Amino acid sequence: LALTARPLQVGDAVRAKYLADKPPPRFLQGKSSGRGYYFRGQVCGVHADGCVDVYFADGHFEARVVPQFVTRTSHSVLRRWRSSGHDLIGRRLLISVFEFDKAAHRAFGARVVAWTEDGGFFHVVHDDDDEEALTEVDIWEGIKRLEAGAC
């Protein structure tokens, strides 16, 4: 059931075409990425040019999805994600991951792109285009790690 009576707004449930007008993220190049398929999601940001930020039901985030690839639907919304309205949006951080095959920690940069209204989670996009949701404690640890210049 497609609903198109009003412009898209933050919080709207949508079906959006994932990476329709963008290259696949580096971590997915050469793999099946779901690129070009429509998936359920939620609008978490609206831009003046009509593009929207979408948080997909599988946990992926895509900024600035072109309106022609987004349709409002009636599916239920899992979380209320926002891509503005919090001081941590846009902040850089350094994430440390233990790589078992190398028995060592690896550090990589990331930035905060969205948050849940309840403040429980923050969505970050890594410099290699991978994504994950972190708690606010994790975000502040990553910011401190970046400021200290260490992993």
Side-chain angles (χ1 to χ4, degrees):
L1 175 66
L3 309 171
T4 57
R6 63 174 170 75
L8 291 168
Q9 298 176 344
V10 170
D12 283 347
V14 295
R15 286 184 54 78
K17 197 170 190 180
Y18 182 62
L19 298 176
D21 63 336
K22 299 172 182 77
R26 286 176 289 205
F27 76 97
L28 285 177
Q29 287 177 355
K31 300 176 184 174
S32 175
S33 65
R35 182 175 185 226
Y37 291 96
Y38 282 86
F39 295 98
R40 291 184 316 123
Q42 179 182 1
V43 174
C44 60
V46 177
H47 301 275
D49 63 0
C51 290
V52 294
D53 300 338
V54 177
Y55 193 82
F56 290 93
D58 69 354
H60 283 86
F61 172 85
E62 184 175 350
R64 304 191 67 80
V65 179
V66 178
Q68 73 189 57
F69 299 122
V70 182
T71 304
R72 187 180 304 103
T73 65
S74 59
H75 68 77
S76 62
V77 173
L78 302 174
R79 282 213 154 98
R80 296 221 176 266
W81 289 94
R82 302 287 185 248
S83 58
S84 63
H86 196 288
D87 291 341
L88 290 175
I89 298 296
R91 291 289 302 263
R92 298 272 310 151
L93 59 145
L94 191 63
I95 296 174
S96 176
V97 173
F98 186 77
E99 294 182 325
F100 290 96
D101 58 332
K102 295 180 179 135
H105 282 270
R106 179 174 72 97
F108 52 92
R111 70 183 166 80
V112 179
V113 297
W115 64 289
T116 57
E117 279 186 338
D118 61 11
F121 292 98
F122 292 81
H123 193 87
V124 299
V125 175
H126 305 172
D127 291 345
D128 69 355
D129 296 327
D130 198 356
E131 310 165 28
E132 67 181 310
L134 299 173
T135 66
E136 187 167 356
V137 170
D138 295 329
I139 298 294
W140 282 111
E141 286 176 2
I143 290 170
K144 289 176 187 173
R145 194 176 296 117
L146 179 67
E147 290 172 349
C151 179

